Amino acid sequence: MDNRPIGFFDSGLGGLTSIPHLFNALPNERVIYFGDTARTPYGSKAVSTIRQYSTQIADFLVSQDVKMLVIACNTISATCLDELRSKISDIPIVGIINPTADRIASECDQDNRIGIIGTKVTVSSGVYRDRIKKLNPILKVFDKATPAFVPLIEEGIIENEIMDLTIHHYMDNFISQNHIDTLVLGCTHYPIIRKNIERIYPSLNIINPSYEIIGSIAQILKDKDNLAGEDNNRENVFYASDLSENFSNMIYKILETEKSNLILKFKNLDL
Ligand code: DGL
């Protein structure tokens, strides 16, 4: 048994979309979350910059005595997973892409038309496509960068016609020309606009990696006998490098909780 918290991190508020699924599946677990809201978005930055930022965050979370690191960000998982694992070898590090790619490879067949949307960095890395095709070469996989979604979401522009127009702009041709039937939300911010996407393209089967990652977390904690016990009385703590009004508003909305139930902290990573 291990009551230490799990460290989650993302470029901003996107990684929060995994947390309700974690609490549903493993209610005794606690988290320390870090959102790099001062430097978001990462998805159009140079890989060397993303490596530098994510190493700073991982070091900070390790200094908080977490029992596991979860990279709740596709962009960082696509570019920095191996490097972070080689730097930090004493606790497990879970990336968000492989669990989803593995599920698609085992559950989809040659009749499916799989579309992956994500940031420029995630899509140009080809990590989803390569892993899915390696495991199941007959699958048909298409991808598309949708870089304006993250800045709009971080600004709180969600249930709004600007967001709907942006979805149409990026996705109408992508979906229709490639006859996509299965869509992977390859950025942890995108579950926040899932309802918009479902309304605009109601027949799509949507796959949410923010949910898929939970099975891997549970499996590793069970295998290592590191699950938290029912007596776990630690708090969940949420850090942001810029505690903006929108981050504070969104966190309560995503976690569906009252303000008094959360500990929010500002953490400057010596920018
Ligand atoms: N949530 C991140 C991801 O999953 C965000 C990307 C960004 O900061 O551009 O890729």
Side-chain angles (χ1 to χ4, degrees):
M1 196 175 83
D2 187 342
N3 284 350
R4 290 179 299 161
I6 303 171
F8 273 74
F9 66 104
D10 178 51
S11 65
L13 50 80
L16 293 169
T17 56
S18 289
I19 307 286
H21 303 299
L22 175 84
F23 291 157
N24 276 340
L26 303 171
N28 299 332
E29 299 300 332
R30 300 292 178 268
V31 302
I32 298 186
Y33 181 89
F34 191 96
D36 198 1
T37 45
R39 302 187 288 199
T40 196
Y42 282 14
S44 304
K45 289 187 166 59
V47 170
S48 56
T49 305
I50 299 168
R51 285 211 178 109
Q52 185 197 342
Y53 292 173
S54 54
T55 304
Q56 282 179 332
I57 300 169
D59 287 344
F60 167 68
L61 289 170
V62 168
S63 76
Q64 303 300 298
D65 196 25
V66 294
K67 62 183 171 186
M68 167 189 268
L69 279 177
V70 178
I71 308 176
C73 174
N74 292 264
T75 305
I76 302 173
S77 299
T79 51
C80 308
L81 178 61
D82 292 342
E83 185 167 320
L84 288 172
R85 279 185 176 151
S86 70
K87 282 188 176 137
I88 299 166
S89 52
D90 46 344
I91 52 171
I93 304 183
V94 182
I96 196 163
I97 292 179
N98 292 354
T100 308
D102 295 0
R103 183 187 148 197
I104 291 168
S106 69
E107 290 183 7
C108 289
D109 62 33
Q110 59 191 357
D111 296 330
N112 288 123
R113 317 266 312 176
I114 301 153
I116 294 160
I117 52 171
T119 66
K120 279 185 191 163
V121 169
T122 300
V123 169
S124 65
S125 77
V127 170
Y128 268 108
R129 196 183 45 234
D130 293 351
R131 182 157 178 115
I132 294 169
K133 299 282 278 181
K134 188 174 165 203
L135 296 171
N136 192 344
I138 60 166
L139 293 181
K140 298 180 190 77
V141 183
F142 307 86
D143 49 24
K144 169 88 185 162
T146 51
F149 288 166
V150 170
L152 289 175
I153 292 167
E154 289 282 338
E155 278 303 319
I157 299 171
I158 295 161
E159 284 135 18
N160 183 296
E161 72 185 57
I162 297 172
M163 179 54 85
D164 286 356
L165 284 172
T166 311
I167 293 171
H168 282 294
H169 165 73
Y170 282 128
M171 292 175 57
D172 279 356
N173 288 346
F174 175 63
I175 301 280
S176 63
Q177 286 171 3
N178 299 310
H179 306 285
I180 302 295
D181 57 34
T182 302
L183 183 75
V184 179
L185 304 179
C187 169
T188 52
H189 283 70
Y190 298 174
I192 297 169
I193 54 166
R194 178 179 182 143
K195 285 194 181 131
N196 308 52
I197 296 173
E198 281 174 337
R199 177 167 35 73
I200 297 172
Y201 313 106
S203 61
L204 285 179
N205 170 29
I206 294 181
I207 296 181
N208 176 5
S210 298
Y211 170 74
E212 302 300 332
I213 198 173
I214 304 302
S216 298
I217 296 169
Q219 194 59 52
I220 293 170
L221 291 176
K222 271 182 204 145
D223 290 349
K224 294 174 74 73
D225 201 17
N226 275 156
L227 285 165
E230 279 177 20
D231 62 338
N232 194 355
N233 56 10
R234 292 174 186 240
E235 308 273 12
N236 298 299
V237 183
F238 296 86
Y239 285 95
S241 50
D242 175 32
L243 265 186
S244 64
E245 198 185 340
N246 191 47
F247 181 80
S248 310
N249 291 339
M250 286 300 290
I251 194 168
Y252 302 117
K253 208 168 161 186
I254 295 168
L255 301 184
E256 294 177 351
T257 186
E258 300 297 321
K259 293 197 176 189
S260 54
N261 290 343
L262 290 184
I263 301 177
L264 295 190
K265 291 188 181 176
F266 167 74
K267 172 70 188 161
N268 186 330
L269 287 176
D270 300 324
L271 312 181

